[in-house]
Amino acid sequence: QVRLVESGGGSVQAGESLKLSCVVSGGKVNMYSKAWFRQSPGKEREGVAGIDEDGRIKYGDSVKGRFTVSQDNAKTTLQLLMTNLKPEDTAMYYCAAAFGSYGGMWFDGVRARAEWGQGTQVTVSS
């Protein structure tokens, strides 16, 4: 079992940038796939970006070209650089970690097995 603590959310104007961080501790963190999800009221929790156990990077279609996910060499800190933010990016952003690797619908697999952080709010105004 791992512990995840997010930071870096806030309120920005459309077109601006934010960087989220997630510190992952406890357990064998290098054996976890890690991801960012987001959820706004009335919507399902959506996969945004992630890095699998082997270091392969995944992005949700709505953020490709605008968001960049990365992790440190120790695989204990997952970051999400969000640029050119849009009002539709407004949501609670959650860090997730799921043990092992996942094929197929990667975000679905991670979401089903994930341990979660408490979330950090991102609000983008037009």
Side-chain angles (χ1 to χ4, degrees), residues 5-110:
V5 179
E6 303 102 330
S7 61
S11 297
V12 297
Q13 298 287 321
E16 294 184 342
S17 301
L18 273 177
K19 191 172 189 177
L20 306 183
S21 293
C22 173
V23 176
V24 185
S25 60
K28 298 180 179 179
V29 296
N30 60 317
M31 298 180 70
Y32 279 72
S33 293
K34 306 175 187 75
W36 290 97
F37 287 77
R38 66 186 182 187
Q39 190 169 22
S40 51
K43 294 188 177 180
E44 290 189 355
R45 193 165 292 192
E46 171 192 21
V48 175
I51 303 178
D52 74 8
E53 181 194 20
D54 296 319
R56 288 181 290 257
I57 291 176
K58 318 283 186 179
Y59 289 106
D61 289 340
S62 62
V63 305
K64 286 179 181 177
R66 299 189 298 123
F67 290 12
T68 303
V69 65
S70 61
Q71 67 179 349
D72 64 342
N73 289 335
K75 299 184 178 181
T76 59
T77 302
L78 185 72
Q79 295 188 317
L80 183 68
L81 175 62
M82 305 182 292
T83 64
N84 190 22
L85 282 160
K86 304 176 181 180
E88 51 263 43
D89 294 317
T90 295
M92 185 71 79
Y93 283 70
Y94 296 93
C95 182
F99 187 83
S101 59
Y102 299 82
M105 303 292 283
W106 189 80
F107 284 113
D108 289 346
V110 171

